[in-house]
């Protein structure tokens, strides 16, 4: 997960991933979409490859890159757990629901039944 987080921390690499989400591209096609040098793009692609987020294949003389979103799953799960309401909040919500349900039931029984319940 740390390698993936490091890989997506850079805005250039995030943009590369967005490009590859739509279609596989050659390194040259990717480099043409940026103002930075081709060697810099190559370094970004190498880091993305090492993190498992992209795979490459030689097609003729071109290296074609494809997105592999599977390594993002662990990071997505961690972020979802982090953003989810905490356990106590869920328990307190359940308690609040139970209190309101009990009050509704008592009101629907009427005052005579409620008094008998407490005197018995």
């Amino acid at each position: 997960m740390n390698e993936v987080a490091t890989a997506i921390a850079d805005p250039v690499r995030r943009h590369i991933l967005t490009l590859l989400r739509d279609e596989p591209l050659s390194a040259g096609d990717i480099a043409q979409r940026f103002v930075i040098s081709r060697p810099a793009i190559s370094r970004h692609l190498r880091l993305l490859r090492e993190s498992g987020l992209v795979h490459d294949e030689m097609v003729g003389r071109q290296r074609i890159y494809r997105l592999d979103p599977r390594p993002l799953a662990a990071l997505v799960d961690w972020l979802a757990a982090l953003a989810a309401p905490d356990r106590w909040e869920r328990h307190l919500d359940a308690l609040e629901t139970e209190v309101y349900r009990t009050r509704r039931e008592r009101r629907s029984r009427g005052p005579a039944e409620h008094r008998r319940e407490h005197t018995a």
Side-chain angles (χ1 to χ4, degrees), residues 3-22 25 30 33-34 36 40-41 43-45 47-49 51 53-54 67 72 75 79:
E3 283 182 339
V4 172
T6 299
I8 65 172
D10 185 276
V12 170
R13 290 191 291 268
R14 288 194 306 266
H15 188 69
I16 291 171
L17 292 173
T18 302
L19 293 171
L20 294 175
R21 177 190 59 196
D22 298 332
L25 295 169
I30 293 168
R33 300 176 191 216
F34 293 90
I36 61 177
I41 292 296
R43 285 190 296 275
H44 285 296
L45 288 168
L47 199 144
L48 289 169
R49 201 173 49 245
S51 71
L53 288 169
V54 300
L67 174 67
L72 291 169
L75 185 59
L79 289 169

Side-chain angles (χ1 to χ4, degrees), residues 9-93:
D10 185 276
V12 170
R13 290 191 291 268
R14 288 194 306 266
H15 188 69
I16 291 171
L17 292 173
T18 302
L19 293 171
L20 294 175
R21 177 190 59 196
D22 298 332
E23 62 182 320
L25 295 169
S26 70
D29 290 336
I30 293 168
Q32 287 177 350
R33 300 176 191 216
F34 293 90
V35 295
I36 61 177
S37 69
R38 282 184 179 236
I41 292 296
S42 291
R43 285 190 296 275
H44 285 296
L45 288 168
R46 185 180 69 240
L47 199 144
L48 289 169
R49 201 173 49 245
E50 289 170 355
S51 71
L53 288 169
V54 300
H55 296 285
D56 63 325
E57 126 186 48
M58 289 301 289
V59 177
R61 292 179 20 192
Q62 290 187 324
R63 188 174 298 274
I64 304 298
Y65 288 87
R66 297 179 194 289
L67 174 67
D68 183 357
R70 290 177 295 181
L72 291 169
L75 185 59
V76 168
D77 291 345
W78 181 79
L79 289 169
L82 189 62
D86 71 345
R87 201 176 76 184
W88 281 109
E89 186 176 330
R90 289 192 309 267
H91 287 300
L92 291 173
D93 287 345

